[in-house]
Every structure is written in C-alpha cells, then in structure tokens.
Amino acid sequence: MRRLLLTALFLWSSLVSAERLTIDRIFGDPDLAGPSPRALKIAPDGRHVAFLRGRADDQNQLDLWLYDVAGGKAQRIVDSTSIGERRELSDAEKARRERERIAQLKGIVAYRWSPDGKRLLFTLDERLWLCDPAAPREKQLRALTPKGLDVIDAKVSPRGGFVSFVSAQNLYAIDLADDRTTQLTRDGGGAIHNGEAEFVAQEEMDRSTGYWWAPDDSAIAFERYDESNVDEVERSEVYADHTATLRQRYPAAGRANVTVKLGIVAPAGGEPRWIDLGDNADIYLARVNWLPDAKRLAFQRESRDQRRLDLVVADVKAKTSLTIDVCAGLCPPNSTDSANEKVVLAETSATWINLNDDLRFLRNEDAFVWASERDGYKHLYVIGFDGAVKRALTKGDYDIDKLLALDEKNGLVYFAANRDDALQSQIYVVHLDGRDAEKPQRISAGEGWHDAVFGDDARVWIDTFSNPTAPPQVSLRKADGSLVAWIERNELKPGHPFWPYRDSLVAPEFGVLKSEDGQDLHYRFYKPLGFEEGKKYPVFMTYYGGPGSQYVKKNWGNYFEQFMAEHGYVVFALDNRGSPRRGRTFSDAIFKQLGKPEIADQLAGVAWLKSQRYVDASRIGIFGWSYGGFQTLMLLAKAGHEFAAGVAVAPVTDWTLYDTHYTERYLDTPQHNAGGYDKSGVLHWLDGIESDKLLLVHGMADDNVLFANSTKLMAALQNKGTRFRLMTYPGAKHGLSTPALKKHVYHLIADYFDEKLKPTPAAQP
C-alpha cells in the first residue's frame, strides 16, 4: 500500500511540475516541432540535399541550407536577412502565397536546383538570385533581375541554359550564357495573364504554375487566360486605418470562368503558336506535360461539370492532336471529336473526377502511367497510346496518395498510400510489369506519417516521418528504404523546444465508429491531463470535414488539441463521409447536398461521446475553420440542442458565393441543382441556431471565403433576434496567418469555451 501511495504521489508531482503548453508558446519561437527542414530536394547529381529552415528567433523567416551527403553535415548557404530588403510584396505574390497556404512565411520560400546540381535558383523579396555554393563566398550569389522588378514562379530550364519567370502578367526568359533577358509575351495586363495559373487552378486544382519547359530547352508551353467575362465582385477590405474598396474577379458558382488558351513560344522569342483546345471554350486546363521526345505536348482538358477528363497529345511538329480520353471504358472506342482529335476512351464519373499529378510517360514502351479511381479507389495503371489498359500496377481497397518516382531502368514504381492503415501514409514499391500489383512492398519504417521526396534517378529518397508522440525526423534512404544518413534526427531530448512539455503530453487514442450506411468513421480523442475516474469533463470537439483534406491522422503537431486536453477537456475529432483517402463510396456521399451526411456522421460521434461515463453531455463545444466553420453552423442549426457552444471561423454560409471549380464539383451549378444549393446553405436552417451559442470569426479581407458569407449570416441572425458573438480581423485573409493573429484568435476560442463549458471560468494562461 505504501509503495502504491508513493507511486501515485510521484506521478502526481510529475504532472504538477511538468510545464504545460500555452497559446503564446504554440505560436511563438522556436518552432515546437524542432529544427525541421522543409521543401527538401535532392540535387540532380545526388551529392547534396537542399532545404529551407526557419530561424530560432523567427520560425517563419526561412534560410536556404545544404546537406552534404558524403560529409554528413548541413550548413546554411544563404542567410535571407543578409540580402533581403524586406520590401512589401506585390499583390500577385501575396495572392499566390495565400493560395499555397504559405502567407505567413518570409525570406526564401521556394527554390529550384539547376540540372547539373551545382546551382540553386531562388527569389527573395521577388528579386531573382542564382547561388553557386562551391564558388568563393563573395561570388556565390548573383542577382539575375534588378531591384523593383516583381518576379513570380521562377524556373531553371531542364538543360540549364535559361531561367524563366513571370512579371507583370508576362513571361520572360534569361539566357544564362549572356544574361540577356527576353520578354516572350507582350499582351499581359488588365484581364490578360500570360504564364500564370488562374485563381481556381491555384486554389482548387492544385496547379500553381502557368508555363512548362520542353525537355530540350527548345520551347515553353504557356497558359494565357482572359478574365474579362468573370464577374467583378466589389468588396471592401477593412484595415485598421483605412478601408479599401476592391473590384475582384471572382468566378462564383454557376457564373463565367476565365477563357484559356495554350501557346508555345521559343525561349529566344517570336510569335507563339496556339494549341487547339477543342470547340468548347468552357473547360478547365487541368494539367500540361511534355513528352520525353520534346516533340509532343500533352494536356488534360476537364469538362465544366468535372465528370469527364480528356488527355490530349499534340504533335507540335505536325500541328495535329490526338485525344486519349482515359477512363472507365464507358465511351465507345475510336469515336471522333474532330479531324485532328481521336477519342479512344473517356475518363468519366457519375459524380466528379479528382485531378492528380501522377502522369508519367514511358521512354521504353509506347505507353504511360496513369492514376484512376475507376474501380472505386485510386490506383495506378499502364495505358497504351491506343487507349487500352495494358496492366494495373496497384490493386486493393485502399487509395494511393501519390506516384513518387518511376525507375524505368530497373522497372520499379514508388508511391505513397494508406494501404496498411487509413490514418497513416507509408511508402511502397511495385514492379512496372504489374507482377506484384496486389502485394506492393513497403519500404518505409515506423508507424505514422511519411512524406517522401525521391531523387531524379530514384536511387535515394528523403523520408520525413512523424507520429503523434514523435516530432518530424528527416533521413536520407536508399531505394530499398535502408538508412543512408540522418539529415535531422530531431530527437525529443533536453534542448529540444518541446522537451519542457514532454511530461504533459497526452497521447491521443484512435478508434472507429459506423456511419448510418455502415462505413467506418475514424476518430481521434484525448482524455484530459490528470484524468480522474468518476469525474465528468467538458468536450472540445473539432473537425474539418470537407473533401480534399483528411483531419484525423497519425502525425505530429496537433498543438491546440494538446492545449485543450491539458486544460481539462476531453478532445474529440472525427472524419466524416466526404473526407478523402477512403475510396469513392465514402467521398461521394456528399454529392449534390453538402452538410447532410457530414452532420449525420458528426452526430454519431456525439452519441458515442455521450455514452462515455466521463463525458458531461451538457457541456459539449464544437469548433471548425473554413469548411469546418460551415459544419459548426450546420451542427448548431440542425442539432443545436446537443451543444453548449460553437465557434465558426471563416465559414461558407451560402455556396453560391463560393468559386466554380470547388462548388460545382460537389453541387453542380445553381442552375441545375437549386434545391441542393438551398439545403446546403446555412440560411435554410437558420431557425435552429439558438441565441448565445455561437462565436463567429472572420478576416475582413478574406478573398477566398469572402467576408460577405459572414455579413449575410449576421444580418439574417439579427433580423431573427438571435444573439451571437462576433470577432472580425481588419486586413486579415482566410488563414489569419500572422503569429499575432493566431495567438489572438486561439486565445479568443479557448476563453470562449472556458466561459461556456466550465462551471467556473478558468483564467487563460
């Protein structure tokens, strides 16, 4: 008994003495994850690994680092504070960073290797620089563009002869032999953009570039888009000291998109040649790829309703096009679109087609590798130029995440997938001949989440691995997964930024519930720190819930969930139907009505919580951001009696206000599905929202989920006499991305739940 008592006292004293996370520390410096490299890339010659790393005093100020594989050491090669001017970014660059979810980053945010692996290209304050790490220090950096010239999307050509970039909506190329800069397009300006990806391509199609080099440096394919027909939305961006009235071209659901052209131009200049994109101008230019011979150009053309995807191969020399519409074999072979295009198959879907970057053209076979969800899960196939499926490379009831590398010489294909666990990402290899399609070999070690980057020849790869109790570790691996070297071991030991909080870390538990149609719903939950049997606790329930982003994963970094668990809450998160990486039956449940199966699944989670003896069912609070904010509102509207409070940050309230590509993918157009839009909108269910249960938060310069979504909700609630709390952020975009705003909003959220869910309001640390 005495030993048990001493053990209990020891454990209690450990909990008391351990430091607990605070919101200020979560968003403070240095990064709690440790010195984790980002944007890792293996040099083409395999001798070095480059990466970006934040500074100890400012995790968002990124410098360029180089790891020497032979020497086993990393060193900073460019200090971003030593050459940066810290000038105001252009509106185009701010918008690009917001689209790529890196708006909070400063310094060097992107770079590229030269093909010989000897130089690195990067922009800093939108000025273009070339770095030669092997040169004497005074000659390592070379400015390629003058001060004051705004530069975006800089690239080194495949053979290293040129550097290209976009400035003021036109495309440029620099000949590195003589530093001569050539303006390749001249009509950019106003509604015309050359070499850029349009808004929905960046925001919804995962395509951030608008131009593509030929493999032999002979030409550049580029997008030209005209947004003249896109509605101008007049909106106000409210800042601390002024209000700016802007007219933004925003393609809302059911309205006009940009008009797209695809051109080819030589890097020395001249008149562009235009590729025939088909008779229907109301399409999406989804992807563009050159074939290895540099004589043929491929582009993926997606229909406006996103239920058909055409892969078109244009013979640049012959000026003809062959359309290979790869799909589930639902269209008759050898049908003809036009004199120059032959439709072999059509990739079609009864709901929508998910785009990907998994196309690879083979050099030794008249075929290509293609990813398709034709059997209900995303898998890899080899398809011939006659449109016939030659063989499947992967099979099974799981989704591949990404094709990582193709080693045609050794006949191997590497990919990431959730084959072993829906909450993990592991790395696998299969043979190109399809012999082991049902039994891929796993080459990643460690249960959790692996992000892999392969070298060009697939001989080595970088593994960034984490799980809920281990911060990201970065290693260099051979093709078989064996360790070459640690780039960043990042062990959780004294000196690590998270070490003071290690003893307060609450490890999450994972489980599975069933949806109403019998599908698995994965959840993550935490018991409160110092959990006591017989005591009832309030619940902090959080989610994203929307298509395209999995929330419940076995990875590191859910700090705010940790914070709430350390401060007396049961924390619960569940991925509802509509979430990705679970096959098409799971995702397609939301088609043509959003906020129906998602809400049913979240309420299944609530029912499970209420069945736990330690949960106080009268004190359940819910929180979500963006699509998660939409779900908070729908939960309060449809089942408000289940919740004591809810927080919605930057929510969509009316889907007619959101963009074409995202919204129409799931709801079709308002013209064809008016009832679905009505029932998917929050205002339809407004009578269910009770007074004093909602905290509404929105950035007043949000150009993604427009602030009008919240003003529309405010007016409707006020007209009904429904009381709610409101916090708006002048000048802030969708992500409230600065550390100061992050600290403010999360203090606000934590304080709100403490007030609403705890019997005695607790002081916020």
Side-chain angles (χ1 to χ4, degrees), residues 432-472:
L432 187 56
D433 61 13
R435 74 181 78 160
D436 47 5
E438 296 182 359
K439 296 182 179 180
Q441 178 187 353
R442 177 173 150 184
I443 60 172
S444 51
E447 301 301 301
W449 200 270
H450 294 264
D451 285 312
V453 177
F454 276 72
D456 291 344
D457 59 7
R459 289 187 298 113
V460 293
W461 56 285
I462 303 165
D463 181 23
T464 301
F465 165 72
S466 75
N467 63 37
T469 58

Short mmCIF file of all heavy atoms in Angstrom, two decimals, residues 432-472:
data_model
loop_
_atom_site.label_atom_id
_atom_site.label_comp_id
_atom_site.label_asym_id
_atom_site.label_seq_id
_atom_site.Cartn_x
_atom_site.Cartn_y
_atom_site.Cartn_z
N LEU A 432 7.07 -2.48 -62.54
CA LEU A 432 6.39 -1.83 -63.65
C LEU A 432 5.65 -2.82 -64.54
O LEU A 432 4.74 -2.44 -65.27
CB LEU A 432 7.42 -1.04 -64.48
CG LEU A 432 6.92 -0.14 -65.60
CD1 LEU A 432 5.91 0.88 -65.09
CD2 LEU A 432 8.09 0.57 -66.27
N ASP A 433 6.01 -4.10 -64.44
CA ASP A 433 5.32 -5.10 -65.27
C ASP A 433 4.03 -5.60 -64.63
O ASP A 433 3.33 -6.43 -65.21
CB ASP A 433 6.25 -6.28 -65.59
CG ASP A 433 6.72 -7.03 -64.34
OD1 ASP A 433 6.16 -6.80 -63.24
OD2 ASP A 433 7.67 -7.83 -64.46
N GLY A 434 3.69 -5.10 -63.42
CA GLY A 434 2.43 -5.42 -62.78
C GLY A 434 2.39 -6.74 -62.04
O GLY A 434 1.34 -7.14 -61.52
N ARG A 435 3.53 -7.41 -61.89
CA ARG A 435 3.54 -8.75 -61.29
C ARG A 435 3.11 -8.76 -59.82
O ARG A 435 2.61 -9.77 -59.33
CB ARG A 435 4.95 -9.37 -61.40
CG ARG A 435 5.97 -8.77 -60.45
CD ARG A 435 7.36 -9.37 -60.59
NE ARG A 435 8.08 -8.84 -61.73
CZ ARG A 435 9.41 -8.92 -61.85
NH1 ARG A 435 10.12 -9.54 -60.91
NH2 ARG A 435 10.00 -8.39 -62.90
N ASP A 436 3.32 -7.65 -59.12
CA ASP A 436 3.01 -7.61 -57.68
C ASP A 436 1.98 -6.53 -57.37
O ASP A 436 2.02 -5.91 -56.30
CB ASP A 436 4.28 -7.41 -56.86
CG ASP A 436 5.16 -6.28 -57.39
OD1 ASP A 436 4.74 -5.60 -58.35
OD2 ASP A 436 6.28 -6.08 -56.87
N ALA A 437 1.05 -6.30 -58.28
CA ALA A 437 0.06 -5.24 -58.10
C ALA A 437 -0.75 -5.40 -56.83
O ALA A 437 -1.15 -4.41 -56.21
CB ALA A 437 -0.88 -5.19 -59.31
N GLU A 438 -1.00 -6.63 -56.41
CA GLU A 438 -1.80 -6.88 -55.21
C GLU A 438 -0.94 -6.98 -53.95
O GLU A 438 -1.48 -7.03 -52.84
CB GLU A 438 -2.62 -8.15 -55.38
CG GLU A 438 -3.65 -8.05 -56.50
CD GLU A 438 -4.49 -9.31 -56.62
OE1 GLU A 438 -4.24 -10.26 -55.85
OE2 GLU A 438 -5.39 -9.34 -57.48
N LYS A 439 0.39 -7.01 -54.11
CA LYS A 439 1.27 -7.16 -52.95
C LYS A 439 2.46 -6.21 -53.06
O LYS A 439 3.61 -6.63 -53.22
CB LYS A 439 1.76 -8.60 -52.84
CG LYS A 439 0.66 -9.61 -52.57
CD LYS A 439 1.22 -11.02 -52.43
CE LYS A 439 0.12 -12.03 -52.14
NZ LYS A 439 0.65 -13.41 -52.01
N PRO A 440 2.22 -4.91 -52.97
CA PRO A 440 3.34 -3.97 -53.01
C PRO A 440 4.25 -4.15 -51.79
O PRO A 440 3.80 -4.56 -50.72
CB PRO A 440 2.66 -2.61 -52.99
CG PRO A 440 1.34 -2.86 -52.34
CD PRO A 440 0.93 -4.23 -52.76
N GLN A 441 5.51 -3.83 -51.96
CA GLN A 441 6.47 -3.93 -50.86
C GLN A 441 6.59 -2.59 -50.15
O GLN A 441 6.85 -1.56 -50.78
CB GLN A 441 7.84 -4.35 -51.39
CG GLN A 441 8.91 -4.44 -50.30
CD GLN A 441 10.30 -4.70 -50.87
OE1 GLN A 441 10.45 -4.95 -52.07
NE2 GLN A 441 11.31 -4.64 -50.02
N ARG A 442 6.39 -2.61 -48.85
CA ARG A 442 6.54 -1.38 -48.06
C ARG A 442 8.02 -1.16 -47.76
O ARG A 442 8.70 -2.07 -47.28
CB ARG A 442 5.73 -1.48 -46.78
CG ARG A 442 5.88 -0.29 -45.85
CD ARG A 442 4.93 -0.37 -44.69
NE ARG A 442 5.47 0.26 -43.50
CZ ARG A 442 4.88 0.28 -42.31
NH1 ARG A 442 3.71 -0.32 -42.15
NH2 ARG A 442 5.45 0.88 -41.29
N ILE A 443 8.52 0.05 -48.02
CA ILE A 443 9.93 0.35 -47.77
C ILE A 443 10.13 1.40 -46.69
O ILE A 443 11.26 1.71 -46.33
CB ILE A 443 10.63 0.81 -49.08
CG1 ILE A 443 9.97 2.08 -49.64
CG2 ILE A 443 10.62 -0.30 -50.11
CD1 ILE A 443 10.73 2.69 -50.81
N SER A 444 9.06 1.97 -46.16
CA SER A 444 9.16 2.94 -45.06
C SER A 444 9.07 2.22 -43.73
O SER A 444 8.35 1.23 -43.58
CB SER A 444 8.06 4.00 -45.17
OG SER A 444 6.79 3.40 -45.32
N ALA A 445 9.80 2.73 -42.74
CA ALA A 445 9.83 2.12 -41.40
C ALA A 445 9.23 3.08 -40.40
O ALA A 445 9.49 4.28 -40.43
CB ALA A 445 11.27 1.78 -41.01
N GLY A 446 8.43 2.56 -39.50
CA GLY A 446 7.82 3.39 -38.47
C GLY A 446 6.36 3.63 -38.72
O GLY A 446 5.96 4.02 -39.84
N GLU A 447 5.53 3.40 -37.70
CA GLU A 447 4.09 3.61 -37.82
C GLU A 447 3.79 5.09 -37.64
O GLU A 447 4.14 5.69 -36.64
CB GLU A 447 3.36 2.78 -36.75
CG GLU A 447 3.61 1.28 -36.84
CD GLU A 447 3.20 0.71 -38.18
OE1 GLU A 447 2.02 0.84 -38.54
OE2 GLU A 447 4.07 0.14 -38.87
N GLY A 448 3.13 5.66 -38.63
CA GLY A 448 2.80 7.08 -38.58
C GLY A 448 2.68 7.66 -39.97
O GLY A 448 2.12 7.04 -40.87
N TRP A 449 3.24 8.83 -40.16
CA TRP A 449 3.07 9.57 -41.40
C TRP A 449 4.42 9.82 -42.06
O TRP A 449 5.29 10.43 -41.47
CB TRP A 449 2.36 10.89 -41.14
CG TRP A 449 1.74 11.47 -42.37
CD1 TRP A 449 2.32 12.32 -43.26
CD2 TRP A 449 0.42 11.20 -42.87
NE1 TRP A 449 1.45 12.61 -44.27
CE2 TRP A 449 0.27 11.94 -44.06
CE3 TRP A 449 -0.64 10.43 -42.41
CZ2 TRP A 449 -0.91 11.93 -44.80
CZ3 TRP A 449 -1.81 10.41 -43.16
CH2 TRP A 449 -1.94 11.16 -44.33
N HIS A 450 4.56 9.35 -43.30
CA HIS A 450 5.79 9.52 -44.06
C HIS A 450 5.53 10.41 -45.27
O HIS A 450 4.62 10.15 -46.07
CB HIS A 450 6.32 8.17 -44.56
CG HIS A 450 6.77 7.25 -43.48
ND1 HIS A 450 8.08 7.14 -43.09
CD2 HIS A 450 6.07 6.39 -42.69
CE1 HIS A 450 8.19 6.24 -42.12
NE2 HIS A 450 6.97 5.78 -41.86
N ASP A 451 6.33 11.47 -45.42
CA ASP A 451 6.35 12.28 -46.64
C ASP A 451 7.67 12.01 -47.33
O ASP A 451 8.74 12.19 -46.73
CB ASP A 451 6.22 13.77 -46.32
CG ASP A 451 4.80 14.15 -45.91
OD1 ASP A 451 3.87 13.75 -46.62
OD2 ASP A 451 4.64 14.83 -44.89
N ALA A 452 7.63 11.58 -48.59
CA ALA A 452 8.83 11.17 -49.29
C ALA A 452 9.11 12.06 -50.49
O ALA A 452 8.19 12.50 -51.19
CB ALA A 452 8.70 9.72 -49.75
N VAL A 453 10.39 12.33 -50.71
CA VAL A 453 10.86 13.05 -51.90
C VAL A 453 11.98 12.22 -52.51
O VAL A 453 12.99 11.95 -51.85
CB VAL A 453 11.38 14.46 -51.55
CG1 VAL A 453 11.93 15.14 -52.80
CG2 VAL A 453 10.29 15.30 -50.92
N PHE A 454 11.82 11.80 -53.76
CA PHE A 454 12.81 10.97 -54.44
C PHE A 454 13.72 11.81 -55.33
O PHE A 454 13.33 12.86 -55.83
CB PHE A 454 12.11 9.92 -55.30
CG PHE A 454 11.70 8.68 -54.55
CD1 PHE A 454 10.64 8.72 -53.64
CD2 PHE A 454 12.37 7.49 -54.73
CE1 PHE A 454 10.25 7.60 -52.94
CE2 PHE A 454 12.00 6.35 -54.03
CZ PHE A 454 10.93 6.40 -53.13
N GLY A 455 14.94 11.30 -55.50
CA GLY A 455 15.84 11.89 -56.47
C GLY A 455 15.39 11.55 -57.88
O GLY A 455 14.56 10.66 -58.10
N ASP A 456 15.96 12.24 -58.87
CA ASP A 456 15.53 12.05 -60.26
C ASP A 456 15.71 10.62 -60.74
O ASP A 456 14.89 10.11 -61.52
CB ASP A 456 16.30 13.00 -61.18
CG ASP A 456 15.91 14.46 -60.97
OD1 ASP A 456 14.86 14.70 -60.35
OD2 ASP A 456 16.66 15.34 -61.42
N ASP A 457 16.76 9.94 -60.28
CA ASP A 457 17.01 8.58 -60.73
C ASP A 457 16.46 7.53 -59.78
O ASP A 457 16.66 6.32 -59.98
CB ASP A 457 18.51 8.34 -60.95
CG ASP A 457 19.34 8.58 -59.69
OD1 ASP A 457 18.74 8.80 -58.61
OD2 ASP A 457 20.58 8.57 -59.79
N ALA A 458 15.80 7.96 -58.71
CA ALA A 458 15.14 7.07 -57.74
C ALA A 458 16.12 6.18 -56.98
O ALA A 458 15.71 5.19 -56.37
CB ALA A 458 14.06 6.22 -58.42
N ARG A 459 17.40 6.53 -56.95
CA ARG A 459 18.36 5.73 -56.19
C ARG A 459 18.27 6.01 -54.69
O ARG A 459 18.55 5.14 -53.87
CB ARG A 459 19.79 5.99 -56.68
CG ARG A 459 20.09 5.42 -58.06
CD ARG A 459 21.56 5.55 -58.42
NE ARG A 459 21.99 6.95 -58.47
CZ ARG A 459 22.86 7.48 -57.60
NH1 ARG A 459 23.38 6.76 -56.63
NH2 ARG A 459 23.20 8.76 -57.71
N VAL A 460 17.93 7.25 -54.34
CA VAL A 460 17.79 7.63 -52.94
C VAL A 460 16.53 8.47 -52.78
O VAL A 460 16.01 9.03 -53.75
CB VAL A 460 19.02 8.43 -52.43
CG1 VAL A 460 20.26 7.54 -52.39
CG2 VAL A 460 19.27 9.67 -53.29
N TRP A 461 16.05 8.55 -51.54
CA TRP A 461 14.88 9.37 -51.25
C TRP A 461 14.97 9.94 -49.84
O TRP A 461 15.68 9.41 -48.98
CB TRP A 461 13.59 8.60 -51.46
CG TRP A 461 13.43 7.31 -50.69
CD1 TRP A 461 14.04 6.12 -50.95
CD2 TRP A 461 12.58 7.09 -49.55
NE1 TRP A 461 13.64 5.16 -50.05
CE2 TRP A 461 12.74 5.73 -49.19
CE3 TRP A 461 11.71 7.88 -48.82
CZ2 TRP A 461 12.06 5.15 -48.10
CZ3 TRP A 461 11.03 7.31 -47.76
CH2 TRP A 461 11.20 5.98 -47.40
N ILE A 462 14.26 11.03 -49.63
CA ILE A 462 14.20 11.69 -48.33
C ILE A 462 12.91 11.30 -47.65
O ILE A 462 11.84 11.37 -48.24
CB ILE A 462 14.25 13.23 -48.48
CG1 ILE A 462 15.51 13.66 -49.24
CG2 ILE A 462 14.19 13.91 -47.13
CD1 ILE A 462 15.44 15.10 -49.74
N ASP A 463 13.02 10.90 -46.40
CA ASP A 463 11.85 10.49 -45.62
C ASP A 463 11.66 11.46 -44.47
O ASP A 463 12.53 11.60 -43.61
CB ASP A 463 12.07 9.07 -45.08
CG ASP A 463 10.87 8.56 -44.27
OD1 ASP A 463 9.77 9.08 -44.47
OD2 ASP A 463 11.07 7.65 -43.45
N THR A 464 10.52 12.16 -44.46
CA THR A 464 10.14 12.98 -43.31
C THR A 464 9.04 12.24 -42.57
O THR A 464 7.94 12.06 -43.11
CB THR A 464 9.65 14.37 -43.75
OG1 THR A 464 10.69 15.03 -44.48
CG2 THR A 464 9.27 15.21 -42.54
N PHE A 465 9.36 11.79 -41.37
CA PHE A 465 8.47 10.89 -40.63
C PHE A 465 8.10 11.49 -39.28
O PHE A 465 8.93 12.07 -38.58
CB PHE A 465 9.16 9.54 -40.41
CG PHE A 465 8.49 8.69 -39.36
CD1 PHE A 465 7.26 8.09 -39.62
CD2 PHE A 465 9.07 8.50 -38.11
CE1 PHE A 465 6.63 7.31 -38.66
CE2 PHE A 465 8.44 7.73 -37.14
CZ PHE A 465 7.22 7.13 -37.41
N SER A 466 6.82 11.34 -38.91
CA SER A 466 6.38 11.74 -37.57
C SER A 466 5.20 10.87 -37.16
O SER A 466 4.59 10.19 -37.98
CB SER A 466 5.98 13.22 -37.54
OG SER A 466 4.71 13.42 -38.16
N ASN A 467 4.90 10.90 -35.88
CA ASN A 467 3.67 10.31 -35.36
C ASN A 467 3.20 11.16 -34.19
O ASN A 467 3.86 12.16 -33.86
CB ASN A 467 3.86 8.82 -35.00
CG ASN A 467 4.87 8.59 -33.90
OD1 ASN A 467 4.95 9.36 -32.94
ND2 ASN A 467 5.64 7.52 -34.00
N PRO A 468 2.10 10.84 -33.54
CA PRO A 468 1.57 11.75 -32.52
C PRO A 468 2.49 12.00 -31.33
O PRO A 468 2.30 12.98 -30.60
CB PRO A 468 0.29 11.04 -32.06
CG PRO A 468 -0.16 10.27 -33.26
CD PRO A 468 1.12 9.78 -33.87
N THR A 469 3.50 11.17 -31.11
CA THR A 469 4.41 11.38 -29.98
C THR A 469 5.85 11.61 -30.41
O THR A 469 6.73 11.73 -29.57
CB THR A 469 4.37 10.17 -29.02
OG1 THR A 469 4.73 8.98 -29.73
CG2 THR A 469 2.97 10.01 -28.42
N ALA A 470 6.11 11.70 -31.71
CA ALA A 470 7.47 11.91 -32.22
C ALA A 470 7.45 13.03 -33.25
O ALA A 470 6.79 12.92 -34.27
CB ALA A 470 8.01 10.63 -32.85
N PRO A 471 8.19 14.13 -33.00
CA PRO A 471 8.24 15.22 -33.97
C PRO A 471 8.96 14.78 -35.25
O PRO A 471 9.64 13.76 -35.27
CB PRO A 471 9.02 16.31 -33.23
CG PRO A 471 9.81 15.60 -32.19
CD PRO A 471 9.01 14.40 -31.79
N PRO A 472 8.83 15.56 -36.32
CA PRO A 472 9.35 15.13 -37.63
C PRO A 472 10.85 14.84 -37.62
O PRO A 472 11.65 15.65 -37.15
CB PRO A 472 9.03 16.32 -38.53
CG PRO A 472 7.88 17.00 -37.87
CD PRO A 472 8.10 16.83 -36.41
#
